[in-house]
Amino acid sequence: MSTKVGDSEKTTAIVRCIFKRRKEGELTLIPGEVITVNSQDIYSGWYEGMNSNGEYGLFPGQNVELLMDSVPAIKIEETCAADSHYEEIDVVELRSKNSYSNSDTSVESIDQVYEVITHEAEDKRSSNESTPKRITRLYHFTKTEAEPFIAGKTVKTATKIKLTFNENGASWVYPIVPLECTITNPQIETKYSGMKKYISYQITPNDTNISVYHRYKHFDWLYCRLIEKFGSIIPIPLLPEKDIPWRYSDDFVQARMGGLQAWINRISRHPIISHSEIFQHFIRRRDEKDWKSGKRNAEKDEAVGGMIFSEIMPSSEFRLLNGEEPEKYLTFAKCMGESVRSLITVTEEHMARCTGSLKSEYIKIGKAFSDISASFAKSTYLGKESIGNALAFVGKTYDDIGNVYFDQPKQGVHCLLEISKEYKGLLACFPDIINILKGAIEKAHEYEKLAQVNKVTMKEKEAIVFKAGVVSSTIQAEINHFNRELTNDYKETIQHFLYEQVQMYSKITDKLREAYARFEF
C-alpha cells in the first residue's frame, strides 16, 4: 500500500537518526535535516523524498518524524509494544490525535542504525502529552544511571541474582550444565491469505529438546527487552541486520540464520541473561496466548535500567572498588578496542589480497610457466615432451595455489573477522558501564566525607556505601565474565585460524612437491 502526498500539503519531516545509503536509489539521512516527503509506503515503511540539497531517493520512515497538520504525530512503535491490540505491528504506525488505524503494518528494515521513538501511554492526548522516549539502536548500550538505586529507590521484583567471590573479586554463578540453543529449519510462512510472508526459525534448547518457532521480529523484541533490562551492566550484541529486497533468497536466509545462531550462542552463555525470565519466556513459550501474556508481563518489569541492581542478593562480601580500578578497566577496554580494530583492518586487507591481487599473481606465474611449456612444444628436440609436460604441470600448480589462497578466507580468516567485529562493538559499550561504576564510587566517597562533618548520619552513610558496593561488585562480576568470554573466544578462534593456515600451507607444499617430482626424468 503506497500513500501519495499531495503538493498542497507541503509534507516535510525532520530526521531523527542517521541512515546511510546502501545502494542506488536510496537517500542518506543526516540527523536534524529537513526532508520533503513525496510518498509513503505504509506497508513496507519506506518513504520517498528529497533533501535540502535536491538529492532524491528512498529512506526508512522510522528514521524521520513527520511535520504536517494532517498527521500531527508519528509513533514509531517498538516491536515489543505492550498493547495487545497492536501485537502484529512490527515497527511503524501513523497516528492522529483522535483516531487509530486498524491496518496491520509491518517493516523489515535494512538498517539497524536508527532511533526508536516511543510515546508513553496517553490518557490525555492534548497539551500535556508526554515527551517521547528515545532508544538508540547503535551497537548497543542504553545508558542508565544507578543513582536512584543507590539513593534508596525500590521496585517490585521476585528475581534474585546471586554473586560469588574469588581471587578475581565478584563473579556470576555459573550453571553446571550451560544452556545451548540451536537454530535450524528456517521456513517461509504466510498470513492474510498469502499477502504477507515472513521467515520463522526453529529454536531448540539443549535442556528440554522442545522446539519453539520465532520470526525475526520476535528476536528484535527480545533484543529490545534485554537492552532495557540489562543494558546498565551487560553489553548486548547486535542482532544481524534486517533486509528487504533479498530476504527470501537462500543465501540471505542461511546467512541470517548463522548470524542469529552466533547471537543466541552468546546470550545463552551468559549466566544471568540465559536464566532471566525474559529469555526463558522466549525459548519456552509455544502457545500464542502464553507468548503474548509473557510479553506483556516482561514489558511491565520495573527492575530495568539502573534498577537492575535491586535484583542482586545482599552479601557481606560486597566491596567498593578503589578509584584506580575503574581507570584500569577503562584503559584495558580502550587498548583492546584499538587492537581489535587494527586486527579487523589487517584481516580485511589480507582477505582482499587473497581474493584479489594474490590470486592474480599466482595465476600470472602459472601462465608464464605454461607459455614456456608451449614454446618447448615447438622445439625439434626429442626430449621436449618431458620438459614441456613438467612445465605445464608447474603452470597448473601455480593456478591451483592461487585458488587455494582465494578459498582460504572462507575457512579461518572469516571466523577471525566476525569475532573481532563482535568484540569491537561489545568493547565500545564498556566506557558507559564503567562510568556508572565510577559514579557509584564517587557517591560513596561523597557520603563518607559528609559523615565526617556530621552532615549525614552514619546509618545513612553506611546505606549509601552498601548500595554503591552492590553496583561495584555487580559490574566487576560482568567485567570478569567478559574477560573470560574474550579469552575463550580468541583462544578457540586463533586455534582454528592457525589450524586452517597449517592445512592451507600443507596443501600448497604437497602441490609443490608433486610439481618438483615431475622434473625427475
Side-chain angles (χ1 to χ4, degrees):
M1 175 181 176
S2 180
T3 302
K4 288 288 182 180
V5 180
D7 293 338
S8 61
E9 295 181 13
K10 298 182 179 180
T11 308
T12 56
I14 186 168
V15 177
R16 290 305 185 191
C17 61
I18 192 171
F19 170 71
K20 295 181 180 179
R21 167 181 153 172
R22 297 188 174 189
K23 59 180 181 289
E24 192 69 28
E26 293 180 351
L27 182 66
T28 295
L29 302 179
I30 300 173
E33 74 172 334
V34 176
I35 302 293
T36 300
V37 179
N38 295 329
S39 66
Q40 306 165 29
D41 189 331
I42 303 302
Y43 183 78
S44 72
W46 283 74
Y47 293 177
E48 189 176 48
M50 181 175 63
N51 64 16
S52 56
N53 296 326
E55 297 170 329
Y56 188 83
L58 299 170
F59 54 90
Q62 68 264 41
N63 289 49
V64 303
E65 181 179 350
L66 293 179
L67 304 173
M68 53 186 290
D69 293 335
S70 59
V71 184
I74 180 169
K75 182 178 182 182
I76 301 180
E77 286 283 338
E78 294 178 80
T79 57
C80 41
D83 192 342
S84 61
H85 183 68
Y86 299 97
E87 285 291 347
E88 297 300 327
I89 297 180
D90 283 342
V91 177
V92 179
E93 178 184 84
L94 293 179
R95 177 198 64 183
S96 69
K97 288 184 178 178
N98 298 320
S99 64
Y100 288 86
S101 170
N102 291 326
S103 62
D104 181 22
T105 63
S106 64
V107 158
E108 294 274 351
S109 168
I110 68 170
D111 193 58
Q112 278 283 76
V113 184
Y114 60 88
E115 280 186 327
V116 178
I117 304 173
T118 60
H119 290 261
E120 299 293 327
E122 299 171 86
D123 293 327
K124 301 178 181 179
R125 294 192 292 271
S126 57
S127 60
N128 55 351
E129 186 174 8
S130 59
T131 303
K133 174 186 176 184
R134 292 179 173 82
I135 302 178
T136 317
R137 298 189 58 172
L138 302 170
Y139 200 120
H140 190 71
F141 178 79
T142 300
K143 184 177 180 182
T144 52
E145 298 297 337
E147 190 159 334
F149 165 76
I150 295 174
K153 180 181 177 180
T154 60
V155 294
K156 294 180 181 179
T157 178
T159 304
K160 293 299 177 185
I161 300 171
K162 185 178 180 180
L163 301 182
T164 61
F165 296 84
N166 52 40
E167 65 275 8
N168 292 318
S171 172
W172 301 124
V173 177
Y174 290 87
I176 297 174
V177 179
L179 178 65
E180 295 179 2
C181 295
T182 305
I183 300 179
T184 55
N185 195 26
Q187 297 180 349
I188 297 178
E189 299 185 9
T190 62
K191 61 181 182 179
Y192 308 129
S193 302
M195 294 179 62
K196 179 176 174 59
K197 293 196 299 184
Y198 61 90
I199 302 169
S200 67
Y201 302 87
Q202 180 180 341
I203 305 164
T204 310
N206 63 338
D207 56 351
T208 63
N209 288 322
I210 299 176
S211 299
V212 296
Y213 289 84
H214 285 300
R215 54 189 293 194
Y216 185 92
K217 79 169 188 177
H218 297 157
F219 281 90
D220 198 44
W221 172 85
L222 174 63
Y223 171 77
C224 290
R225 297 273 65 80
L226 293 180
I227 288 293
E228 184 178 23
K229 175 77 174 177
F230 299 107
S232 294
I233 56 175
I234 301 172
I236 307 297
L238 273 179
L239 284 169
E241 293 184 356
K242 294 184 179 182
D243 206 333
I244 289 181
W246 310 280
R247 70 173 178 266
Y248 302 121
S249 68
D250 290 341
D251 289 344
F252 175 76
V253 170
Q254 291 300 318
R256 173 180 275 185
M257 185 171 70
L260 291 174
Q261 182 67 69
W263 185 84
I264 208 168
N265 284 347
R266 184 166 299 283
I267 297 300
S268 299
R269 288 199 305 267
H270 198 287
I272 304 306
I273 297 179
S274 62
H275 289 81
S276 66
E277 186 176 347
I278 302 170
F279 189 70
Q280 289 294 313
H281 169 71
F282 181 78
I283 63 174
R284 310 290 185 199
R285 297 294 180 267
R286 305 180 71 189
D287 181 75
E288 182 69 16
K289 184 178 179 181
D290 290 343
W291 165 252
K292 292 182 178 181
S293 175
K295 281 179 64 178
R296 287 191 288 271
N297 289 337
E299 289 153 10
K300 294 175 184 176
D301 189 1
E302 296 180 8
V304 298
M307 295 310 298
I308 184 64
F309 298 103
S310 63
E311 294 188 344
I312 305 298
M313 291 179 64
S315 171
S316 60
E317 297 186 80
F318 288 147
R319 183 174 71 88
L320 189 67
L321 300 178
N322 63 52
E324 295 180 356
E325 289 179 274
E327 293 301 328
K328 291 178 181 178
Y329 294 150
L330 201 57
T331 299
F332 168 75
K334 181 180 179 181
C335 291
M336 182 57 71
E338 291 174 353
S339 299
V340 167
R341 286 192 293 273
S342 175
L343 181 58
I344 291 171
T345 301
V346 170
T347 305
E348 288 178 336
E349 290 173 351
H350 174 69
M351 290 178 67
R353 283 196 301 273
C354 287
T355 56
S357 60
L358 201 54
K359 178 183 177 179
S360 299
E361 287 300 318
Y362 278 101
I363 290 175
K364 286 179 182 178
I365 295 172
K367 184 177 184 306
F369 281 115
S370 297
D371 289 345
I372 293 177
S373 173
S375 297
F376 267 106
K378 299 182 181 350
S379 172
T380 59
Y381 179 61
L382 294 178
K384 66 179 181 180
E385 186 174 346
S386 297
I387 186 67
N389 290 341
L391 286 167
F393 189 84
V394 173
K396 181 179 181 305
T397 296
Y398 275 91
D399 285 347
D400 291 343
I401 291 173
N403 290 326
V404 169
Y405 274 107
F406 182 83
D407 293 335
Q408 198 268 342
K410 300 174 185 176
Q411 311 302 325
V413 180
H414 178 74
C415 295
L416 181 59
L417 182 62
E418 289 302 306
I419 197 70
S420 297
K421 286 182 175 179
E422 184 175 359
Y423 273 105
K424 174 187 173 183
L426 294 174
L427 285 161
C429 298
F430 273 96
D432 288 323
I433 294 176
I434 293 169
N435 280 338
I436 291 178
L437 172 59
K438 290 167 71 174
I441 295 172
E442 289 170 1
K443 179 62 69 174
H445 290 166
E446 176 188 339
Y447 268 72
E448 286 173 344
K449 292 177 181 178
L450 291 173
Q452 290 174 0
V453 295
N454 297 322
K455 290 190 175 181
V456 297
T457 65
M458 289 300 296
K459 185 176 180 180
E460 290 173 327
K461 186 263 297 186
E462 289 171 358
I464 294 295
V465 171
F466 179 80
K467 291 289 186 71
V470 174
V471 174
S472 183
S473 296
T474 303
I475 292 178
Q476 186 184 48
E478 176 55 27
I479 290 173
N480 286 334
H481 170 77
F482 178 82
N483 285 328
R484 168 177 162 163
E485 287 278 289
L486 179 69
T487 301
N488 290 339
D489 283 343
Y490 268 102
K491 174 188 173 184
E492 293 177 5
T493 304
I494 298 297
Q495 279 183 324
H496 177 67
F497 170 75
L498 293 175
Y499 174 80
E500 293 296 338
Q501 290 283 296
V502 170
Q503 294 297 107
M504 181 190 76
Y505 285 110
S506 294
K507 189 181 294 185
I508 291 173
T509 301
D510 291 343
K511 289 182 178 294
L512 291 173
R513 288 186 191 278
E514 188 177 358
Y516 175 81
R518 294 298 179 108
F519 286 85
E520 295 177 355
F521 53 80

